[in-house]
Amino acid sequence: MKSFILSIDQGTTSSRAILFNRDSEIVFAAQREFTQHYPQPGWVEHDAEEIWQSVQAVVASALEGAGVRPDQIAAIGITNQRETTVVWDKQTGKPVYRAIVWQSRQTAPICERLKEQGWQKSIQEKTGLLIDPYFSATKIAWMLDEVPGVRERAEHGELLLGTIDTWLIWKLTGGRVHVTDYSNASRTMLFDIRRLQWDEQLLELLRIPESMLPQVRPSSCVYGMTDRALFGEEIAIAGAAGDQQAALFGQACFEKGMAKNTYGTGCFMLMNTGDQAVSSKHGLLTTIAWGVGDRVEYALEGSIFVAGSAVQWLRDGLRMIEHAAESEALAAGVESTDGVYVVPALVGLGTPYWDSEVRGAVFGLTRGTTKEHFIRATLEALAYQTKDVLAVMEEDAGIALNGLRVDGGAVRNSFLMQFQSDMLDVPVDRPVINETTALGAAYLAGLAVGYWADQNDIAAQWKVDRTFVPQMDDAKRRTLYDGWKKAVHAARAFK
Ligand SMILES: Nc1ncnc2c1ncn2[C@@H]1O[C@H](COP(=O)(O)OP(=O)(O)O)[C@@H](O)[C@H]1O
Ligand SMILES: O=P(O)(O)OC[C@H](O)CO
C-alpha cells in the first residue's frame, strides 16, 4: 500500500503542495506565491503558465523536503481558487490571454446587460448563482469578444477553456485529459446544477462554443494519470474540488445542516444541504458541494469579502499593529469596544447585502476611544458579518445550526472565535488540522483509490483542537448585534 496523498492547493495568492498520511497528518507542506497582475483598476489577472510553474515547484519541494519518492504517492488531489478562468490552444498548450481571476470586475458591463435583459431569475434557477463578474461565464465571453482572433480560433475548435483545476489536470496529464468536477462546474454560471449538464441556452446567450468545454466528472474519481515525463512515474489524479467545497469536505461536514466557515482574506461559509439544491431568497448562492460515486450533494454559500484582510488593513494601512496575531491580545485587553463599530465594507458588502457601492465606516467614536477599541471592533465585525450570513442561511435552509466548524488563518485568534460563538450562540469547533482545504482534496483523491475506505472512515479522523462555547447572555448579544445592524444601515446610507 502506498504511503501518502499529495494535495495541490492552488489559491489566489499562492500555490501549495501538501503531503498527507493516512492519519490525515501533514507530512510536509511547501508554498510559493506568484504574481498578481492589475492591468486596469478593478481588473485582476494571473499568468496561467506561472501558476503551472509554481505548482511544479511546490510539488518538487514537498517531495524533496519530505524525502518521498513519486512511487510512494497513492494519488493526487487538486483544489483551487474557484471561477478563475483560462483559455488555451489545444495544440500548443499556450494560453490565449492571462487567466481572469474571480475578483476581477472587467466583465461588469456584460453582467449589467444580462440583468437589463431580464436573465437574473432564469440564471439563478439554472445555476444557483447571481449574475456577477465573479463567475466564469462572462470572463469567457470577454476573452472571446475582446482578445483579437480568439473567437475565430474557438469556432474552429482550436481552443479549450477551464477553471484552474481543469488547467492543472490538463498540464499534469501532458495535455491528454480535459475535465472538471461538479463543484468547479457549478461556479461557471454555465452549468445546470440540477440537470448536471452544461446549459445550452446560456452557452448560446454568451456565444461560447461547446467544443471548448471540459467534460464534467465527479469530485472523487480517477481523471487520468500524470505524464511520465513529470515524475518518472504515473500517479493517479483522483480528486478535484473548488477550494471552499474542498474545505467543507475536509471538515467532514457530510450531514445535511453541517456548516463550516473559512476565515481567510474573506470568509466563505458553506452549509451542506444534502441532495437538495436549496434556492435562496436572501442572496446566498446555491452550489454543488461535490459528487462522490453517483451521488451529488449541494450547499448554500455566503460570501464575506473582507475578513482577515481587515486585519491586514489594521497592520499595513492604519499601522495599528505589526503582526496580525497581535490583534488578539490588544482586543482582549479591553472589556468591550466601548460602543465603537467598524463596518469593514472596504470593497462593498457581500451576503446578504450585495451592495458594491457601500464603503467602510466607523461609528461611536468618543474622546475615550483607543486603538484597542478600534482593533476589537474590527475583529468583532468578522463575527457580526458571519452572523448576518448564518441568519439567512438558517432561514433559507430551514435548518438551525448546532455547531460551526472553522478554519483559515484568522481562526488562530481565540478572542475572535469566542466572540463568534457568543454572537451565534452555537459552539464553534476549531479542528487540529487547519489546512482543511488541502485535506479535503486529499480525502477526495484518497477515497477514489481506496486509500481511505469511505466517508465514515474520514469523519472519524476529524479532531477538534478547541471548542468555543457561548458564554454571553441573550440580552447582551441582542444589544450588540442591534448596534451592528444600525451601523451597517448607516454605512449604506452614506453613498
Ligand atoms: N491571529 C490572527 N488574528 C486575526 N487575523 C489573522 C490572524 N492570523 C492571520 N490572520 C488573517 O488571516 C488571513 C490569512 O489567512 P489565510 O487562510 O492564509 O488566507 P487566504 O487563503 O485567503 O490567503 C490574513 O488576512 C490575516 O490578516
Ligand atoms: O484562493 P482563496 O482561498 O482566496 O479562495 C477563493 C475562492 O475560491 C473564490 O471563490
Side-chain angles (χ1 to χ4, degrees):
M1 187 75 163
K2 301 197 181 193
S3 314
F4 307 101
I5 299 281
L6 172 65
S7 187
I8 297 172
D9 177 0
Q10 205 304 299
T12 311
T13 55
S14 71
S15 300
R16 277 185 251 211
I18 303 186
L19 282 164
F20 288 97
N21 65 19
R22 200 168 286 102
D23 295 327
S24 309
E25 291 161 343
I26 294 177
V27 176
F28 200 89
Q31 180 167 2
R32 181 187 274 209
E33 294 196 356
F34 55 87
T35 320
Q36 307 288 316
H37 297 271
Y38 305 106
Q40 290 194 33
W43 297 26
V44 190
E45 297 176 352
H46 291 161
D47 177 346
E49 292 283 12
E50 189 187 353
I51 286 187
W52 167 232
Q53 282 154 15
S54 71
V55 166
Q56 286 176 282
V58 289
V59 168
S61 308
L63 294 181
E64 200 186 308
V68 165
R69 294 186 316 273
D71 67 359
Q72 292 175 284
I73 296 176
I76 295 177
I78 294 175
T79 180
N80 54 288
Q81 52 165 322
R82 304 168 304 166
E83 300 97 10
T84 300
T85 308
V86 196
V87 173
W88 68 93
D89 187 296
K90 213 191 260 190
Q91 294 302 326
T92 66
K94 294 267 171 275
V96 301
Y97 186 77
R98 279 200 288 248
I100 303 184
V101 178
W102 60 276
Q103 296 154 318
S104 200
R105 310 304 293 174
Q106 72 227 66
T107 62
I110 308 180
C111 292
E112 281 317 306
R113 209 177 57 226
L114 293 176
K115 283 186 208 161
E116 276 159 23
Q117 291 168 349
W119 279 97
Q120 182 57 78
K121 189 164 175 280
S122 147
I123 286 184
Q124 192 178 4
E125 273 166 14
K126 289 167 187 279
T127 68
L129 308 175
L130 304 166
I131 297 175
D132 194 275
Y134 179 17
F135 306 108
S136 315
T138 58
K139 301 182 195 292
I140 302 163
W142 188 93
M143 284 192 254
L144 285 165
D145 291 337
E146 301 295 327
V147 185
V150 166
R151 173 163 301 283
E152 206 185 351
R153 287 164 72 191
E155 277 167 5
H156 283 129
E158 293 168 22
L159 304 182
L160 300 176
L161 70 82
T163 38
I164 297 292
D165 54 314
T166 304
W167 169 245
L168 293 180
I169 295 173
W170 197 81
K171 283 294 200 186
L172 284 164
T173 58
R176 283 176 293 127
V177 180
H178 188 224
V179 294
T180 189
D181 89 296
Y182 286 125
S183 72
N184 275 296
S186 75
R187 311 299 294 189
T188 58
M189 213 178 87
L190 294 172
F191 194 70
D192 186 318
I193 59 171
R194 292 180 180 81
R195 288 190 302 137
L196 299 178
Q197 48 185 263
W198 297 115
D199 188 85
E200 309 76 13
Q201 196 186 22
L202 294 178
L203 291 174
E204 203 173 303
L205 175 69
L206 290 159
R207 300 174 60 225
I208 299 173
E210 224 175 320
S211 60
M212 299 177 80
L213 294 165
Q215 189 194 2
V216 189
R217 310 268 321 263
S219 316
S220 177
C221 70
V222 178
Y223 303 105
M225 306 301 282
T226 57
D227 187 358
R228 201 172 273 281
L230 288 172
F231 305 113
E233 278 289 322
E234 291 194 333
I235 308 173
I237 305 165
D243 56 10
Q244 302 307 324
Q245 286 93 331
L248 190 70
F249 204 84
Q251 288 272 28
C253 290
F254 298 147
E255 307 287 326
K256 190 170 159 177
M258 289 179 83
K260 71 90 199 177
N261 196 19
T262 300
Y263 299 72
T265 308
C267 270
F268 294 92
M269 169 135 73
L270 271 75
M271 180 188 271
N272 183 327
T273 61
D275 48 18
Q276 246 193 313
V278 176
S279 301
S280 172
K281 294 183 192 67
H282 302 96
L284 296 167
L285 306 174
T286 308
T287 201
I288 297 183
W290 48 71
V292 175
D294 49 16
R295 191 157 177 226
V296 165
E297 290 184 85
Y298 296 87
L300 273 173
E301 173 172 329
S303 327
I304 297 165
F305 299 141
V306 173
S309 57
V311 181
Q312 285 171 344
W313 167 67
L314 293 179
R315 188 191 61 190
D316 306 335
L318 303 183
R319 302 206 182 94
M320 284 191 181
I321 49 174
E322 255 184 73
H323 303 286
E326 279 167 41
S327 62
E328 179 170 354
L330 290 166
V334 284
E335 291 277 295
S336 72
T337 67
D338 207 17
V340 176
Y341 284 89
V342 171
V343 181
L346 310 180
V347 293
L349 288 170
T351 313
Y353 310 102
W354 291 101
D355 184 344
S356 54
E357 305 284 304
V358 58
R359 288 295 170 265
V362 187
F363 297 96
L365 299 178
T366 67
R367 182 65 184 80
T369 302
T370 63
K371 169 172 116 171
E372 286 77 9
H373 295 127
F374 197 98
I375 292 168
R376 183 174 173 127
T378 306
L379 289 175
E380 289 188 356
L382 274 58
Y384 290 131
Q385 293 186 93
T386 298
K387 185 173 171 78
D388 287 342
V389 171
L390 186 68
V392 293
M393 203 172 252
E394 289 187 324
E395 199 179 324
D396 282 337
I399 295 171
L401 195 76
N402 50 28
L404 180 66
R405 296 187 170 187
V406 297
D407 52 61
V411 304
R412 286 191 285 266
N413 191 317
S414 297
F415 162 79
L416 171 62
M417 292 301 104
Q418 181 57 52
F419 188 79
Q420 185 68 86
S421 171
D422 288 340
M423 211 19 70
L424 299 179
D425 199 19
V426 296
V428 165
D429 293 316
R430 181 170 69 191
V432 173
I433 302 264
N434 195 23
E435 293 286 355
T436 50
T437 301
L439 183 57
Y443 283 152
L444 289 164
L447 279 178
V449 297
Y451 185 84
W452 286 290
D454 52 29
Q455 283 175 238
N456 293 331
D457 185 11
I458 288 171
Q461 304 225 357
W462 186 87
K463 285 191 205 83
V464 70
D465 160 52
R466 184 164 164 195
T467 297
F468 298 85
V469 291
Q471 288 170 358
M472 192 179 277
D473 66 61
D474 280 347
K476 185 167 175 198
R477 177 181 308 114
R478 217 171 306 122
T479 309
L480 286 176
Y481 188 58
D482 284 350
W484 164 256
K485 286 294 209 189
K486 264 197 279 180
V488 171
H489 187 76
R492 297 186 71 191
F494 182 80
K495 279 186 203 161

